Every structure is written in structure tokens, then in C-alpha cells.
């Protein structure tokens, strides 16, 4: 037994007494969350205000990680007989320091669970043990990685809005709402030249920094007529317009080769530095009208017509006209309804709306234009087409029918809703492939699919006890079927860009996986192929096999 221990110690470099708890070594003794809030509100008959501030501090278990947020908000409202005005402002700042959490050695949990306790954290001279770590790659001591490398960022957000509601003639109103959002994002990633991922960079060490500023603003104005006739007829009519503008500016820098291990760009190798910047902007302008009519607080009908124009669509197809209608019946207000129902509303709607699936993501704002970018070919500078524009890219159009029921019974002890919907989308936008022989890019955005989406949603809530002791129960059920009805221009399944395991195909579910169908090892079931080779089914009915994927 002693010989075995001695042999193991010599082979593994075990000193005979080290017993490191690596999981405990990468953690704080405790984690905690602190939250502080303060607020004040007040005012008089015509004016009111609200002030507030909060601070959230989160120190997780992992060493050198944190998440802190503080915010301030203020609001003021004033009204007279004819005018209502108001302002709302909010500022939030978030600071975070986190870590890579994938299945790699830079993930402290991954490394801590794999390193044997026989290996020490520190060398005898007090430096980090970076070489004697067993099966883990050298230089990935998880304590050193956490204390030396970082993934950090700060996000600051300012949101403001101001409104005016002015009754300039009896029952005629002008309403204006102006809002802004400004956001700054400062992010950095540092890999020490002697620790973790930084040791695999040549020359060693790397620093990435990015500064991004995003500014959004919108201005909505409307004229409306609102009046109740004879205490029975509630009429509302609106016409208006809305303008919104979004811009994003970003500056990115990268450098590697740090002879002096300090996380500043100036300490990197100037010959290994890269910088880049980007600017994106898009806007949308909308004109709309809306009419609502309610009779006896029982029967409601409404209709809307709007025209939206979006700058990210093709030069030939930026605008779309959309409409919707809706009706509801408040059955609980009928005289024949028993008191058993405190609320019972039947409703339905049908309309045609426009959609742009990439609207909330940056990078695809100039789809109508083809663009070029510098490249390298045979060690020579070259220019290539980087984006294939589509001047005919248009709105997705969704026609949707919705029928629903809302109910409350036993004075709200049981409540719920049921919705049944049928939605058909035409001209759905996806990446359409370009033949590789064209030299790139390999795809462009186009209207290539028709999709049907139908289903049912049920929500049920109960309040068994609603006195001093409260007990609420909520449940929901949903069934949905999303089918690609038609795929324009393509008969074969179309692989999704960026994920070759999923495809679009007529008659199949949207987002369905498309991959090889394993048929097992050839033990003679396919005499035309060598024994022992892997087999794959050639069709969904499993009628024949092949070894060629």
C-alpha cells in the first residue's frame, strides 16, 4: 500500500498532505443582497409630485463578481379645467463584474469541480500554482483566473417623457407625448498574459473594450373627440401621427501582447491593435385613426386604420396600410344575468397588422443597400460585397382572428379568460441563401414564407381565502401550432442561417429541427454497404438507408 501511495505521489506530484477544497476556494464565505429604497410623494388639489431612489447590491458566491444597481426617479403632474401636463424622468446605473460560464476551463465552476484536491492553490513562494493542476490545462488555476481576469460592464439609462392634454374646445382634445431614452454601455474583457485564456494568445494577453451609445426618441400627437350622449352613447374618435427615431454609435478596440500585465490599451503591443466603429440609424413614421363606440356600457365596437413607414425596409416597399376591428359584449351588465357572475365579457377582433421581426435588434438597419468591405485575397488587399441589399423587402403582414371570454364569479373568488386565435402571416422575413459560387455573402433578407399560427390559451385564478389570511392560486394552459404553409422559391428544406440543425420547409413546424436520422450500424440489413458502417435513413418513412450523410 505504501509503495502504491509513493508511486502515485511521484507521478501526480502529490506532497502527501495537501487537501484543497477547490469549490470553496473560488467562493466567498457568504453571498448577500442588500436593497434600499426611499420615496416621497405629495402635492395639492391641482399639482402632484413623486420622488424616489433605490440601491441594489448583490455579491454572489463567486469571487470577484458583483452586480450593483442604483436608480432615481421623479414625476410631476399639473391640471386645470382645460389642461393636463406632466413630466416623468428616470435614471438607472448598473455595474457588473462576471465570468465566462460556458463548458470551458475559464468557467470557475467547471475547473473547480475537475481539479483534484491533491493540488495546491499556491506555490511555496506564494505565487499561483499554474502548472501542477492534473488533467486541467496549464494556467487555468480557477482562483487565479477569478482574481486576474474579468468580464465587466456598466450600463446607464436615462428615460424621460412629457405630455400635454388640452381641451381646446368642449369635447375636443389635443394630446402630445414626447419621450426619450439614452443609454450608454461600457464593456471590457481582460485576459492576463500569464493566466487562463490570455496564455493562449500570441503574443500573450488581450484586452477588449467597447463603448456604445443608443438614443431613441418618439413624438406622438393626436386630435380626439370624446363625448357621452344621453348617458348611453360613449363616442370617441382619434386621428394622429407618431414619429420615432433610433440611433446607435459604437466604438470597439482590441489589443494583445502585454509585456506589462496591466489592463490598459496603452500597455498592449501597438502593432497588434485593432479599432473599429459603427453607426446605425432607423426611423418610423405612422399616421392613424381610431373610433370607439360603447352603448349602455354593454356593447362596444371599435375600428382602427393606420399607415406605417419604416426606413429599414426596401426602397420600393417602405410603407404599409393596416387595419383592425373589434367588438365586445359585457353580458354581466344585462338585466337577465344572475349575480353569480360579477363580470362576463365576450369579445372578438380581426385585423391586418404589420411586423418587422428584426426591429428590436441592431445591425440590419440598411437592408435596402448593398455594401462592400475590405478583405484579403492571395495576400493582397481586396474589396468584397459584405451585404446584399434587397430594395423589395416589405412588411410582414399578419391577419389574425381572436375570440375570447373574460369572467369573474362569486365576487372575484374565481376568475379567468379563454382566448382562441388564428393568425396567418404572409411575406414572412427570413434569410434567403445565395449560391456560394457568387462569392458571398451567403444570404440576404427576403420575404419568403407564409406561416399559420393557431391555438388556445386559458388562464384561471382562484382566491380560496381573501381576508386577513390570503391564498391565491393561478394556473394557465396553452396549445399552439405554428406551421410553414408555403416557402417561396424553394422546394427543398431551407437551412436556417447560423443554425444548420433547423430548417424551414412547407408543411413542417416553424423552428423544427432538420438533421440526420440515425439507422444504426450495418449488420447486414443493407447488403450493398460494408459491414460495420454507420447507416442513416434516406426518408422519413424509413424505407432505405445510406452511409453518405
Amino acid at each position: 500500500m505504501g509503495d502504491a501511495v509513493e508511486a502515485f505521489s511521484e507521478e501526480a506530484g502529490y506532497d502527501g498532505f495537501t487537501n484543497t477544497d477547490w469549490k470553496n476556494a473560488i467562493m466567498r464565505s457568504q453571498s448577500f443582497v442588500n436593497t434600499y429604497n426611499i420615496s416621497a410623494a405629495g402635492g395639492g388639489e391641482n399639482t402632484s409630485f413623486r420622488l424616489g431612489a433605490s440601491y441594489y447590491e448583490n455579491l454572489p458566491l463567486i469571487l470577484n463578481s458583483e452586480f450593483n444597481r442604483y436608480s432615481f426617479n421623479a414625476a410631476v403632474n399639473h391640471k386645470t379645467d382645460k389642461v393636463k401636463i406632466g413630466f416623468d424622468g428616470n435614471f438607472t446605473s448598473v455595474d457588473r463584474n462576471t465570468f465566462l460560464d460556458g463548458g470551458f476551463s475559464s468557467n470557475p465552476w467547471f475547473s473547480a469541480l475537475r481539479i483534484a484536491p491533491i493540488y495546491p492553490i499556491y506555490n511555496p513562494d506564494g505565487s499561483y500554482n499554474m502548472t501542477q493542476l492534473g488533467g486541467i490545462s496549464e494556467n487555468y488555476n480557477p482562483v487565479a483566473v477569478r482574481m486576474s481576469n474579468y468580464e465587466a460592464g456598466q450600463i446607464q439609462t436615462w428615460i424621460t417623457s412629457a405630455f400635454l392634454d388640452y381641451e381646446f374646445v368642449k369635447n375636443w382634445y389635443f394630446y402630445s407625448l414626447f419621450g426619450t431614452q439614452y443609454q450608454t454601455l461600457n464593456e471590457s474583457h481582460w485576459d492576463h498574459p500569464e493566466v487562463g485564456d490570455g496564455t493562449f494568445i500570441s503574443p500573450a494577453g488581450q484586452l477588449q473594450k467597447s463603448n456604445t451609445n443608443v438614443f431613441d426618441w418618439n413624438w406622438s400627437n393626436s386630435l380626439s373627440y370624446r363625448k357621452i350622449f344621453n348617458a348611453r352613447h360613449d363616442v370617441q374618435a382619434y386621428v394622429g401621427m407618431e414619429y420615432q427615431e433610433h440611433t446607435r454609435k459604437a466604438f470597439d478596440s482590441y489589443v494583445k501582447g502585454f509585456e506589462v500585465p496591466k489592463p490598459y490599451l496603452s500597455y498592449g503591443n501597438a502593432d497588434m491593435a485593432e479599432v473599429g466603429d459603427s453607426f446605425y440609424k432607423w426611423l418610423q413614421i405612422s399616421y392613424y385613426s381610431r373610433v370607439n363606440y360603447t352603448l349602455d356600457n354593454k356593447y362596444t365596437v371599435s375600428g382602427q386604420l393606420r399607415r406605417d413607414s419604416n426606413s429599414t425596409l426596401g426602397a420600393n416597399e417602405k410603407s404599409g396600410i393596416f387595419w383592425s376591428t373589434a367588438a365586445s359584449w359585457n353580458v354581466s351588465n344585462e338585466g337577465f344575468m344572475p349575480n353569480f357572475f360579477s363580470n362576463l365579457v365576450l369579445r372578438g377582433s380581426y385585423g391586418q397588422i404589420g411586423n418587422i421581426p428584426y426591429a428590436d435588434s441592431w445591425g440590419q438597419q440598411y437592408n435596402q443597400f448593398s455594401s462592400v468591405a475590405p478583405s484579403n485575397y492571395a495576400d493582397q488587399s481586396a474589396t468584397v460585397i459584405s451585404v446584399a441589399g434587397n430594395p423589395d423587402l416589405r412588411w410582414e403582414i399578419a391577419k389574425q382572428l381572436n375570440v375570447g371570454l373574460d369572467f369573474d364569479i362569486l365576487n372575484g373568488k374565481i376568475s379567468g379568460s379563454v382566448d382562441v386565435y388564428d393568425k396567418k402571416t404572409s411575406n414572412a422575413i427570413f434569410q434567403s441563401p445565395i449560391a456560394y459560387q457568387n462569392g458571398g455573402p451567403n444570404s440576404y433578407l427576403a420575404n419568403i414564407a407564409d406561416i399559420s399560427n393557431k391555438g388556445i390559451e386559458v388562464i384561471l385564478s382562484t382566491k380560496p381565502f381573501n381576508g386577513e389570511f390570503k391564498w391565491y392560486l393561478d394556473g394557465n394552459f396553452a396549445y399552439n401550432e405554428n406551421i410553414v404553409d408555403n416557402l417561396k422559391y424553394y422546394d427543398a428544406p431551407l437551412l436556417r442561417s447560423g443554425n444548420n440543425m433547423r430548417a424551414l420547409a412547407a408543411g413542417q413546424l416553424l423552428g423544427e429541427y432538420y438533421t440526420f436520422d440515425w439507422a444504426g450500424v450495418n449488420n447486414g440489413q443493407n447488403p450493398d454497404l460494408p459491414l460495420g458502417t454507420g447507416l442513416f435513413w434516406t426518408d422519413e418513412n424509413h424505407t432505405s438507408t445510406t452511409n453518405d450523410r
Side-chain angles (χ1 to χ4, degrees):
M1 184 62 149
D3 293 339
V5 172
E6 184 177 349
F8 171 77
S9 299
E10 181 177 352
E11 180 180 350
Y14 180 46
D15 57 15
F17 57 84
T18 296
N19 185 20
T20 303
D21 186 341
W22 283 98
K23 188 173 70 171
N24 185 66
I26 64 170
M27 295 191 299
R28 296 184 171 98
S29 59
Q30 64 179 1
S31 65
F32 62 86
V33 174
N34 290 323
T35 303
Y36 307 91
N37 296 285
I38 185 172
S39 63
E45 182 178 353
N46 296 322
T47 304
S48 63
F49 72 89
R50 184 187 72 251
L51 298 171
S54 67
Y55 178 66
Y56 173 87
E57 180 185 24
N58 184 347
L59 292 179
L61 281 175
I62 290 291
L63 286 175
N64 204 28
S65 63
E66 62 180 349
F67 182 94
N68 299 315
R69 180 182 65 239
Y70 60 88
S71 63
F72 303 93
N73 63 81
V76 59
N77 291 276
H78 179 73
K79 66 179 181 179
T80 66
D81 292 339
K82 297 290 186 179
V83 178
K84 296 178 183 178
I85 58 175
F87 172 83
D88 200 323
N90 182 278
F91 170 76
T92 301
S93 181
V94 173
D95 295 276
R96 63 174 179 83
N97 188 356
T98 185
F99 55 89
L100 300 177
D101 59 357
F104 302 99
S105 297
S106 289
N107 183 339
W109 292 116
F110 182 84
S111 297
L113 293 173
R114 291 185 61 190
I115 301 178
I118 64 173
Y119 301 110
I121 300 173
Y122 302 99
N123 295 316
D125 62 0
S127 62
Y128 287 113
N129 169 27
M130 306 299 290
T131 56
Q132 298 297 319
L133 297 172
I136 295 295
S137 300
E138 290 187 355
N139 302 314
Y140 279 98
N141 180 323
V143 177
V145 169
R146 284 308 309 136
M147 301 307 296
S148 304
N149 300 345
Y150 63 79
E151 182 96 8
Q154 182 187 66
I155 303 175
Q156 293 187 334
T157 306
W158 292 259
I159 300 175
T160 63
S161 66
F163 77 89
L164 165 69
D165 192 1
Y166 174 42
E167 187 181 12
F168 58 94
V169 177
K170 186 176 182 180
N171 301 320
W172 290 88
Y173 299 84
F174 171 73
Y175 180 81
S176 183
L177 174 65
F178 184 81
T180 66
Q181 176 174 294
Y182 179 65
Q183 189 172 67
T184 64
L185 298 89
N186 299 309
E187 300 171 293
S188 58
H189 175 92
W190 162 247
D191 287 316
H192 193 286
E194 299 171 0
V195 179
D197 289 345
T199 62
F200 286 88
I201 305 298
S202 181
Q206 64 177 352
L207 176 64
Q208 298 173 323
K209 286 192 172 185
S210 67
N211 300 300
T212 304
N213 298 319
V214 179
F215 181 60
D216 306 315
W217 68 274
N218 64 82
W219 191 13
S220 177
N221 297 281
S222 67
L223 289 173
S224 64
Y225 176 77
R226 290 171 265 169
K227 186 175 181 180
I228 299 177
F229 296 91
N230 301 324
R232 297 189 61 198
H233 308 278
D234 186 350
V235 177
Q236 301 177 2
Y238 300 80
V239 293
M241 63 82 63
E242 180 180 18
Y243 178 86
Q244 52 181 295
E245 189 172 296
H246 310 263
T247 57
R248 178 184 184 271
K249 299 177 182 178
F251 179 81
D252 304 288
S253 55
Y254 171 82
V255 66
K256 60 183 179 178
F258 286 80
E259 294 185 3
V260 178
K262 292 183 179 294
Y264 300 97
L265 293 171
S266 57
Y267 283 88
N269 188 327
D271 294 331
M272 299 293 176
E274 301 175 10
V275 295
D277 61 355
S278 62
F279 175 80
Y280 294 101
K281 179 179 180 178
W282 69 275
L283 55 89
Q284 181 169 309
I285 186 168
S286 305
Y287 302 93
Y288 62 88
S289 61
R290 184 172 70 249
V291 176
N292 302 325
Y293 172 69
T294 301
L295 175 63
D296 291 335
N297 202 28
K298 301 176 185 177
Y299 317 104
T300 299
V301 294
S302 63
Q304 178 173 268
L305 178 68
R306 62 184 298 129
R307 182 181 187 270
D308 297 309
S309 300
N310 188 287
S311 66
T312 69
L313 297 172
N316 302 327
E317 302 286 352
K318 290 186 180 298
S319 300
I321 296 177
F322 311 105
W323 57 270
S324 64
T325 61
S328 66
W329 178 22
N330 192 335
V331 188
S332 54
N333 284 343
E334 297 287 0
F336 58 80
M337 284 299 297
N339 294 331
F340 177 77
F341 286 96
S342 50
N343 183 54
L344 180 63
V345 178
L346 291 171
R347 49 185 168 76
S349 63
Y350 181 75
Q352 173 179 291
I353 60 175
N355 181 52
I356 301 175
Y358 56 81
D360 294 327
S361 60
W362 290 103
Q364 302 187 52
Q365 277 60 53
Y366 307 127
N367 298 305
Q368 60 182 299
F369 303 110
S370 294
S371 58
V372 296
S375 184
N376 186 283
Y377 181 77
D379 294 326
Q380 299 293 321
S381 297
T383 300
V384 298
I385 298 175
S386 58
V387 176
N390 182 1
D392 296 320
L393 186 68
R394 66 185 66 184
W395 289 88
E396 290 185 353
I397 297 178
K399 296 180 179 179
Q400 180 166 336
L401 172 66
N402 190 94
V403 177
L405 171 69
D406 302 318
F407 63 90
D408 281 320
I409 58 177
L410 300 176
N411 293 321
K413 287 188 175 180
I414 300 176
S415 61
S417 64
V418 180
D419 282 276
V420 179
Y421 57 90
D422 187 355
K423 177 181 177 182
K424 295 186 180 297
T425 301
S426 59
N427 296 320
I429 299 174
F430 291 98
Q431 290 287 345
S432 181
I434 299 174
Y436 288 107
Q437 56 264 36
N438 289 328
N442 57 17
S443 66
Y444 72 106
L445 280 176
N447 305 92
I448 62 172
D450 297 327
I451 300 169
S452 63
N453 181 10
K454 59 184 67 176
I456 182 172
E457 296 180 357
V458 180
I459 299 175
L460 184 64
S461 300
T462 64
K463 301 176 182 178
F465 300 95
N466 197 26
E468 292 185 5
F469 173 75
K470 300 180 183 297
W471 181 20
Y472 299 162
L473 296 175
D474 299 304
N476 65 79
F477 165 81
Y479 172 79
N480 174 270
E481 185 178 69
N482 216 357
I483 300 290
V484 178
D485 294 325
N486 178 42
L487 190 61
K488 301 177 182 179
Y489 320 123
Y490 304 99
D491 295 326
L494 177 61
L495 294 177
R496 299 283 296 275
S497 175
N499 188 342
N500 289 335
M501 290 286 289
R502 305 173 79 176
L504 292 173
Q508 301 296 320
L509 293 173
L510 179 65
E512 193 168 3
Y513 282 91
Y514 180 73
T515 186
F516 311 107
D517 193 358
W518 174 249
V521 176
N522 187 18
N523 293 318
Q525 60 267 44
N526 190 330
D528 298 327
L529 297 175
L531 292 175
T533 189
L535 299 179
F536 301 89
W537 295 109
T538 61
D539 62 302
E540 61 184 10
N541 295 320
H542 293 181
T543 57
S544 61
T545 58
T546 181
N547 62 354
D548 182 7
R549 291 193 295 178

